Amino acid sequence: METTAPRIHTAPARTILSVSGPEARALLQRVITADVETLEAGQCRAGGLLTPQGKLAADFLLFADGETVWLDVPGATAENLAKRLSMFKLRAKAEIVIHTDLAALWSEKPFENSAPDPRLGGAVHRGIGAEAGDAVSPDEIEILHGIPAFGRDYGEAETFPTDVNLDVYGGIGWKKGCFIGQEVVSRMKRRGTIRKRSLSLSFSDDAPASGTPVMAGTSTIGEITSSHGPHAIALIRLDRLETASEPLQAGGQPCTARVPDNLRPDAPAAKV
């Protein structure tokens, strides 16, 4: 039986950065949110670099290959991220390189050296290699599944990682020890003060544009951050959503919000 070869796309506006050397993982382990010591070949893991105030300076997808950790990052943040990591490197035996000859790849089917995107439950597979196929953004699939993205739904130092569900995707290693901004986000988790989450909204017609308030009656409970067709992502106050007594609407259109069980205030964090 013939099988259809996966259609592989190059993700535009993404850049590949590597941190390599005998102390590369140790460097990243003490700086970024994700646990890189347990990252194995064939895996993909979300992660981020926080400001000391606990907000996202950049986020990325991580891959491992022995002493090299590869980062698939938003292109607009690549140079700043490399500079920030270099500041924290000190005398660590690690080299930080931006690779202009490599591209971020994705497909809806597995392909050679790819790994499932941990944010999308296997709906998308990610990899790194030479440019392949056409340049297609995964925005449509991400918005359909309620996955916020840096540069589209939020910018540098605008949001806490929990606002954009990085912890739910396994992008925060709660048990790995300290990292930049760890004290702030750990305190939010311990005290149960995670109030905002990025949620998927559905409309019967085209969803309103980014910046449109989401209302429950006359009360504002959030704001749309991106949209495509009848789907949108909105940053929502969960406490206000749970106590809302009137239907939701945005831009004069009725809508429904999907709150997965793992995004509810009392849900356990991903164990990474």
Side-chain angles (χ1 to χ4, degrees), residues 61-95:
L61 295 174
L62 298 156
F63 303 83
D65 181 12
E67 290 187 346
T68 300
V69 179
W70 299 92
L71 288 74
D72 169 352
V73 309
T77 69
E79 288 192 11
N80 282 341
L81 177 59
K83 289 178 182 178
R84 288 174 186 262
L85 292 177
S86 295
M87 288 172 53
F88 296 120
K89 185 168 81 93
L90 302 176
R91 296 185 180 182
K93 295 177 182 178
E95 184 179 13

Side-chain angles (χ1 to χ4, degrees), residues 127-222:
I128 295 171
E131 289 191 10
D134 46 1
V136 177
S137 171
D139 282 357
E140 182 176 351
I141 293 177
E142 290 177 350
I143 293 172
L144 172 65
H145 288 269
I147 309 301
F150 195 99
R152 187 188 68 213
D153 295 275
Y154 53 97
E156 182 177 347
E158 290 181 354
T159 59
F160 292 106
T162 51
D163 292 345
V164 294
N165 310 331
L166 187 63
D167 55 327
V168 175
Y169 308 140
I172 299 180
W174 297 112
K175 297 180 180 180
K176 78 182 184 77
C178 293
F179 52 86
I180 306 300
Q182 181 258 355
E183 182 178 349
V184 177
V185 292
S186 291
R187 184 168 61 245
M188 292 171 63
K189 178 178 180 289
R190 290 195 310 270
R191 296 181 178 179
T193 55
I194 299 173
R195 297 277 187 262
K196 295 179 181 179
R197 289 290 189 181
S198 293
L199 301 182
S200 175
L201 299 185
S202 297
F203 295 79
S204 57
D205 296 313
D206 284 347
S210 172
T212 304
V214 180
M215 312 291 295
T218 58
S219 299
T220 300
I221 68 167

Side-chain angles (χ1 to χ4, degrees), residues 34-80:
D35 186 344
V36 293
E37 295 289 2
T38 61
L39 182 62
E40 299 178 357
Q43 291 183 325
C44 173
R45 182 169 293 168
L49 175 67
L50 307 185
T51 67
Q53 295 75 33
K55 294 194 174 182
L56 273 168
D59 63 8
F60 32 77
L61 295 174
L62 298 156
F63 303 83
D65 181 12
E67 290 187 346
T68 300
V69 179
W70 299 92
L71 288 74
D72 169 352
V73 309
T77 69
E79 288 192 11
N80 282 341

